Amino acid sequence: MTEEILVNYAAHETRVAVVEQGVVQEIHIERAATRGLVGNVYLGRVSRVLPGMQSAFIDIGLERAAFLHVADLWQSRAHGSGTNHGVPIEKVLFEGQPLLVQVIKDPLGTKGARLSTQISIAGRLLVFLPQDPRIGVSQRIEKEAERAQLRARLQSVVPPAERGGFIIRTSAEGALDVEFSADVEYLRTRWHEILEASQHRPAPSLLYQELSLAQRIVRDVADARTGSVLVDAHAETERLLEFAATYVPGLASRIRQYGGERPLFELHGVEDEIARALARRVDLKSGGYLIIDQTEALTTIDVNTGGYIGGRNFDDTIFRTNLEAAHVIARQLRMRNLGGIIVVDFIDMTSSEHRESVLQELRKALANDRTRTTVNGFTALGLIELTRKRTRESLAHVLCEPCPTCEGRGALRTARTVCYEILREIHRESQQFNPREFRVLASQDVIDLFLEEEAQSLASLCDTIGKQVSLQVESIYTQEQYDIILI
């Protein structure tokens, strides 16, 4: 199954779509103003140590201090063995201490970046661990014989006197020894540059920045299944060709400049897919639909039959809708880059065989996800719980912000509710102040209600407080906004 990678480049923003058999499977967006930090290495400074939380805040030069937990503190592990022997963080760190750290999670919402002091530098085939002597193999390479062979081949090209270890990535399957050697040399060079910079720059300083989005896609996503990488900007095409020639020579011939008249994303329907990926409702071909709600703590996905009435009986209808939903859910998780805890409420099934089939179908659909996903099966309430690793913002968080009118609630107080709030506030202020009159500034709907259905309520208040209340429409006010002026 071949895939196509589309790169839409502008100076302010890079967008990448992964298309498989004409269907968009993944969308990646990177903006110059808010470029992701994961993988960046900083010389930070400890700004605060919290013994009670066994954590510390590190100043790395960002707006918010970054967070370091004792579990991510490599110095707290005995003799580089990789096992944490419970050394308290206050015994290792002190305020004002310079510290070499790497971002492992971007700032999310109100949380600062998450840090680790175990540095890792990713290459095409390998991940270099300069503080760890072991050689590991990606869990996605499952055959033990192949894992052992790859480990032995890498050990044969790594000089024994050199410090540091490696993790062999899935892209190393089928790689030549000369490619291993080139990756080792590249990664060690980058590490020496980081160490050199850390000796001469003040804290906080950025010492190493991850590759651009387009370069990371070429390095990490493009593989033997990739038919072509189409780029719609000449300068970016040249940069990618230069990068590929050095690090991914086998892919260079598949990187091409797009020269069509229609915009690249419009031609392949990516713009429409992005719009659909921001919607709360996702329609299924069968007539059913999904409702996807993203909250701070978790994401919920509700499956509904909708207008689907096919099948021989109602149980069959439910089963087929759930099977289709399993595939659509897997794609939506990738498209929207949803991470963390995800709870799926499939339509209730009475048959245990149907439940098991839907669960297996979901696992199968998630098998090709490049992000690690764990499916925990059905709960006692008939829900499926799964987790998906989250290291960057979701598509909705990148492209959207909470509505300033409803403040993210997704609902507005009714005009009548606002009317009653105004009446209560006028009554409250009349007991503290003695103006000549009260003037209400509010939206058209609220004022109309005062002039019509709630006119009697307003008149009763005027009689009670012995003051006049005048009304004034403010066209720029939202339905919930109002002001009460004392004249």
Side-chain angles (χ1 to χ4, degrees), residues 8 29 49 52 60 171 231 236-237 245 348 378 391 423 441 461:
N8 168 229
I29 296 177
V49 180
I60 58 174
S171 54
V231 189
E236 183 67 3
T237 305
D348 288 340
F378 281 96
T391 57
L423 293 176
L441 281 60
L461 176 67

Side-chain angles (χ1 to χ4, degrees), residues 37 42 44-50 55-69 101 103 105-115 204:
L37 306 176
Y42 293 85
R45 186 177 299 279
V46 179
S47 58
R48 192 178 176 193
V49 180
L50 305 172
S55 59
F57 287 109
I58 314 295
D59 178 13
I60 58 174
L62 303 179
E63 182 179 347
R64 289 193 300 270
F67 180 80
L68 174 67
H69 190 266
V101 292
V103 178
K105 277 191 179 181
D106 278 327
L108 293 172
T110 59
K111 300 175 183 176
R114 179 80 179 258
L115 303 178

Side-chain angles (χ1 to χ4, degrees), residues 201-262:
R201 295 184 189 175
S205 291
L206 172 64
L207 305 181
Y208 167 79
Q209 188 171 29
E210 250 290 14
L211 301 174
S212 70
L213 172 62
Q215 290 171 326
R216 293 198 308 274
I217 292 293
V218 166
R219 182 190 70 188
D220 300 337
V221 176
D223 54 25
R225 298 183 307 157
T226 304
S228 63
V229 179
L230 290 179
V231 189
D232 65 1
H234 177 72
E236 183 67 3
T237 305
E238 293 300 314
R239 279 192 291 269
L240 284 183
L241 284 170
E242 182 180 351
F243 174 79
T246 304
Y247 301 111
V248 204
L251 189 70
S253 62
R254 285 173 275 170
I255 298 175
R256 300 201 300 269
Q257 170 80 42
Y258 171 72
E261 294 183 2
R262 290 181 63 189

Side-chain angles (χ1 to χ4, degrees), residues 25 33 89 94 149 163 275 314 324 333 375 428 454 459 482:
Q25 298 292 333
I89 196 168
F94 56 87
Q149 184 187 44
R163 293 183 59 190
F314 189 59
E324 183 190 357
L333 294 182
V375 181
R428 185 168 55 250
E454 295 301 332
Y482 65 84

